[in-house]
Amino acid sequence: MTTSPGTPESSGPHPNHDRGLEFDVSTLLSRRRTFGVLFGGAATAALAACTPTDGAGSGTATSSASSATPSGTASSSTTAAASPSAAASPTVTRAIAECGVEIPQETAGPYPGDGSNGPNVLEASGVVRKDITSSFGTSGTKVDGVPLTVTLTLLDNANGCVPLSGAAVYAWHCDRDGKYSLYDSGLENENYLRGVQEADANGQLSFTTVFPGAYNGRWPHIHFEVFESLSNATSAGQLLAVSQIALTDAACRDVYATAGYETSAANFPNTTLKSDNVFGDDGGIYQLATMTGSAKAGYTAALNVTI
């Protein structure tokens, strides 16, 4: 059970919540050399969300508004050039067919834990893991919440939208109370809800976690950074992209109606996708996950990430 003694009043704004790309781009650029054009003008949009590779039981399905690529965004030439491996799932096949729009670059926020703003969990032994629901190292604290499986499909836009195998993703998010390990008061020695995974031959990777909470000023979301390789990820090295996943309205309403998410239920109505300072420019259309499941059975969230 997660506790947060001494934290600020949870119904108010999260202290220093994500304040947009301008807030931390200088820190990120000074720490790392990027691959290609990291924050270039071309990185202004992302591929629509895909259908998860595995369901979350027989619960109610909620579909992302971005399940279809907007007209004109996919290039027929890049689509034709891409071909999945023989073992590619329908998810990967669809992702390649829809490829052509790169993931928007976003702020890493004030709580990345990647060494750019205080603690660096990436260099800690144990950070490479699929299940991120517990702390590792000196603490074994396990967080409570509705189960959530997050699947990302990474695609290499510069090479015909082929799966970006061998790349790695560092993902992190707040707990059900809207608090961040490593940063919030009382949680400085915890590192739960943070982890790294390597993409397989089809460019896919997954995390097992819990549904994040809602805090004032932000729409419910999951942060992630994409690295060229696992070795780069675990040494805070070559960075390909920084972005965020938006969770669907229907899934949030379903989860926040359950016991344990009372604070999130109170905070959730206060910020919309349009008023959110990260997703508000386009309503999160290119970062809105496709979600299936229910609060009772658990949820899955999936997103195509074109780089």
Side-chain angles (χ1 to χ4, degrees), residues 42-279:
T44 57
L47 185 61
C50 62
T51 304
T53 54
D54 55 349
S58 56
T60 303
T62 60
S63 178
S64 162
S66 61
S67 59
T69 304
S71 61
T73 59
S75 165
S76 59
S77 61
T78 55
T79 300
S83 58
S85 71
S89 67
T91 301
V92 175
T93 302
R94 177 182 174 186
I96 293 173
E98 295 177 346
C99 186
V101 182
E102 294 181 1
I103 192 78
Q105 301 288 347
E106 305 289 8
T107 176
Y111 311 109
D114 61 0
S116 64
N117 181 22
N120 188 355
V121 74
L122 293 178
E123 296 181 346
S125 177
V127 72
V128 180
R129 61 205 184 125
K130 180 176 181 178
D131 188 336
I132 62 174
T133 56
S134 299
S135 287
F136 62 92
T138 59
S139 173
T141 301
K142 186 177 179 66
V143 295
D144 294 322
V146 171
L148 174 66
T149 298
V150 179
T151 299
L152 299 180
T153 302
L154 310 181
L155 300 172
D156 185 354
N157 193 39
N159 289 298
C161 290
V162 296
L164 196 59
S165 62
V169 168
Y170 165 46
W172 73 96
H173 62 83
C174 68
D175 62 20
R176 68 179 181 181
D177 296 318
K179 308 302 180 184
Y180 285 87
S181 67
L182 297 177
Y183 291 91
D184 271 296
S185 177
L187 303 181
E188 296 90 343
N189 295 320
E190 303 291 351
N191 52 30
Y192 52 67
L193 305 181
R194 300 177 184 273
V196 173
Q197 279 286 279
E198 183 179 28
D200 63 17
N202 289 317
Q204 289 195 308
L205 54 88
S206 295
F207 292 96
T208 300
T209 186
V210 298
F211 205 97
Y215 53 86
N216 283 329
R218 286 304 317 276
W219 181 265
H221 61 283
I222 297 171
H223 294 265
F224 68 94
E225 296 177 339
V226 183
F227 293 84
E228 187 180 30
S229 66
L230 187 61
S231 60
N232 276 325
T234 53
S235 61
Q238 197 166 49
L239 183 66
L240 302 184
V242 182
S243 198
Q244 299 180 27
I245 305 168
L247 305 179
T248 62
D249 179 86
C252 290
R253 291 179 184 277
D254 184 31
V255 171
Y256 297 159
T258 64
Y261 282 92
E262 291 82 4
T263 298
S264 294
N267 291 336
F268 180 62
N270 299 332
T271 306
T272 66
L273 270 170
K274 282 294 185 182
S275 67
D276 183 84
N277 59 13
V278 171
F279 304 124

